[in-house]
Structures are given as structure tokens and as C-alpha cells.
Amino acid sequence: MSRLVVGLIWLLHWLPLGALARVGSGFGWLLYWVVLPRRKIALTNLRLCFPELPEAERRALAREHFALAGRSLVERGLAWFAPAERIRRLVRIEGEARLRQLVD
């Protein structure tokens, strides 16, 4: 199963970043509805941490969390498989000189 997931992530990493983001968010939305135990845990944690929020807002936060988690998982394929040049085009480093001082 894990090889299948890694293979799918490899295939998806070829997509443009915008499409990859939409696929990942959709995957997270699917997980929200399919993985009931995780959804219950997320909603319980949100209820305990934010008792003042209405239930609808906590559910919206949980859905957003799952969408972002799905997006994060799918976009990881870029870090794992994309050529360095593509990553350079997508990433901007602020304070690069300081970073180089720390690394060297």
C-alpha cells in the first residue's frame, strides 16, 4: 500500500503547483469524510481548545485542517522528486546570506 501511495505522489509531482494544491485539498476533503476516527479526534481537540467557538466554526476549522494536511502530503512530492531547478523557481529564501554563513 505504501508503495502505491509513494507512486501516486511521484505521478502527481509533475502537475503544476496550482493543480497540485487543488488535488491535495480535495484529497484532504476526502479524508475528512472517510477517516471518521481522525475527524472525531480533530473535532474533540478543537472543542477542548476552543470551547467558546460555535460548533459550525470548529467543523470549518477541522475541514480546513484536513484540506491543508492533504495538500501538504501531496506537495511533499515536490521536495522528494522534483528537480532542484523547479524547487528554486518555487521557493524564495529571505536572509540567504545569513543562511549560507550558518551552513559554511
Side-chain angles (χ1 to χ4, degrees):
M1 180 62 136
S2 62
R3 286 184 180 183
L4 181 64
V5 171
V6 171
L8 180 61
I9 291 172
W10 178 82
L11 282 173
L12 291 173
H13 98 276
W14 295 103
L15 292 174
L17 187 58
L20 201 56
R22 287 188 297 279
V23 168
S25 294
F27 179 65
W29 177 85
L30 180 66
L31 289 177
Y32 177 83
W33 291 107
V34 172
V35 187
L36 186 60
R38 286 277 146 211
R39 181 176 62 189
K40 285 184 178 181
I41 290 169
L43 291 171
T44 298
N45 286 341
L46 288 168
R47 187 181 71 250
L48 293 171
C49 292
F50 303 105
E52 73 283 357
L53 287 182
E55 181 67 19
E57 282 188 50
R58 289 195 298 263
R59 286 190 181 279
L61 280 173
R63 283 190 302 273
E64 183 179 3
H65 161 73
F66 275 82
L68 291 171
R71 183 175 170 178
S72 172
L73 176 67
V74 171
E75 288 179 356
R76 237 165 264 250
L78 289 173
W80 293 346
F81 303 115
E85 183 53 40
R86 181 173 181 199
I87 294 173
R88 278 190 208 96
R89 286 193 314 266
L90 295 172
V91 175
R92 184 186 65 182
I93 299 174
E94 293 182 16
E96 186 174 359
R98 177 67 178 139
L99 178 62
R100 293 208 183 278
Q101 286 177 340
L102 294 171
V103 172
D104 293 337

